[in-house]
Amino acid sequence: MTIWTILFIIIGVYVYLTYTKIEFLNLRTGCKKISAEVVEYRKEKGPMRNDYTELDYPYVKIDLENKEYTIRRLKYANSMNKPFAIGQKVDVFWYGSDLLYWNAYDNGINKYLPNKWNLLN
């Protein structure tokens, strides 16, 4: 009985991770890829309520058309390490008012997950 429970949990986690990756790729489809440069990290409170853990959020510089630039927070934080080096160029995109990392699901275990639900094609 415990083997079936463990198997069911593993399948559930796999389906959830696949769903989040497919949704992210669908979000990214209609957006323009922007090149940005990581300029600094700032420790900020995480997104969960009543959680006082501070995460290292990268701030990136985006060059604008009229030779000006803006510095914005990239919504890609990790409590374990800093995923980018200062000065590293990364691809980002706007989704609403959030600046998201273009290749968020192209690393770790996520790169082995399918990109669409139809696994036969």
Side-chain angles (χ1 to χ4, degrees), residues 25 37 44 46 49 73 88 93 95 99-101 112 117:
L25 293 176
E37 180 183 349
E44 296 181 8
R49 289 179 45 188
R73 181 179 93 163
Q88 180 179 351
F93 67 98
Y95 182 73
L99 187 63
L100 303 173
Y101 178 49
Y112 300 111
W117 284 117

Side-chain angles (χ1 to χ4, degrees), residues 16-58:
Y16 174 74
L17 291 176
T18 301
Y19 172 77
T20 57
K21 180 178 180 178
I22 291 170
E23 286 299 310
F24 180 82
L25 293 176
N26 289 338
L27 269 175
R28 187 177 83 172
T29 300
C31 298
K32 179 183 171 190
K33 187 189 289 190
I34 303 168
S35 181
E37 180 183 349
V38 178
V39 291
E40 69 177 318
Y41 281 91
R42 295 182 193 164
K43 285 200 171 287
E44 296 181 8
K45 185 177 175 289
M48 297 180 62
R49 289 179 45 188
N50 298 329
D51 181 16
Y52 298 102
T53 305
E54 291 188 340
L55 302 175
D56 288 317
Y57 281 96

Side-chain angles (χ1 to χ4, degrees), residues 36-40 42 58-64 68-74 94 99:
E37 180 183 349
V38 178
V39 291
E40 69 177 318
R42 295 182 193 164
Y59 276 74
V60 296
K61 179 173 82 170
I62 301 172
D63 293 325
L64 302 175
E68 294 182 13
Y69 64 89
T70 182
I71 296 177
R72 297 295 174 109
R73 181 179 93 163
L74 182 60
W94 286 105
L99 187 63

